Amino acid sequence: MNRWARAGARSRKYGKVRRRNGRTGVPGSGEARRLGAAELGEDLGARATLVQFSSAFCAPCRATRRILGEVAGVVPGVAHVEVDAEARLDLVRALGILRTPTVLVLDADGRVVRRAAGQPRKADVIAALGEAL
């Protein structure tokens, strides 16, 4: 068994898949996944939803909460849902969330349209919403 075959076997063992470009990824972290009120614990917005994964001791999470709340208040039909990453480890693992804050932009059907890690700028959030609306 050559080193590439061993690496592939090791990746499959730990729940990762090797893509054609050589990178590994976590199954289920694809952009085609749909999220609903059952997974998030709150209702989705009529036009789009901003989902924020945060933790208790994350300083950028507080600023992200403020920015997403302002955008959701300005744009009609957009909801902001905050998910505690420590309390929802099943959802964090299923979506491949690696750091907080991570923001997912969902369209009206609950499909993930955009995804970003770190504190976003207000202009970037509005631009990402343009794809969902």
Side-chain angles (χ1 to χ4, degrees):
M1 181 182 295
N2 64 21
R3 68 183 179 138
W4 296 108
R6 282 193 305 270
R10 188 171 37 247
S11 294
R12 284 189 297 278
K13 178 181 175 185
Y14 294 110
K16 295 182 179 179
V17 292
R18 185 170 297 280
R19 297 188 179 124
R20 287 186 179 172
N21 63 4
R23 295 183 177 182
T24 57
V26 179
S29 64
E31 301 297 303
R33 182 178 172 116
R34 289 184 185 215
L35 296 174
E39 291 91 2
L40 298 176
E42 293 185 35
D43 291 331
L44 298 177
R47 296 175 65 198
T49 306
L50 301 168
V51 181
Q52 174 188 353
F53 287 89
S54 59
S55 57
F57 299 103
C58 171
C61 293
R62 289 188 285 270
T64 301
R65 180 184 313 118
R66 183 184 51 80
I67 291 169
L68 297 181
E70 288 175 5
V71 171
V74 171
V75 182
V78 175
H80 172 226
V81 176
E82 187 171 3
V83 177
D84 183 14
E86 296 169 3
R88 298 295 313 271
L89 284 175
D90 56 337
L91 188 59
V92 167
R93 289 184 181 130
L95 293 171
I97 306 292
L98 300 177
R99 61 183 278 204
T100 57
T102 296
V103 178
L104 305 177
V105 179
L106 308 179
D107 63 4
D109 296 328
R111 283 189 302 263
V112 178
V113 177
R114 292 290 301 263
R115 175 186 181 131
Q119 182 179 343
R121 294 181 308 164
K122 192 172 186 177
D124 294 337
V125 174
I126 293 172
L129 275 175
E131 292 183 24
L133 301 178

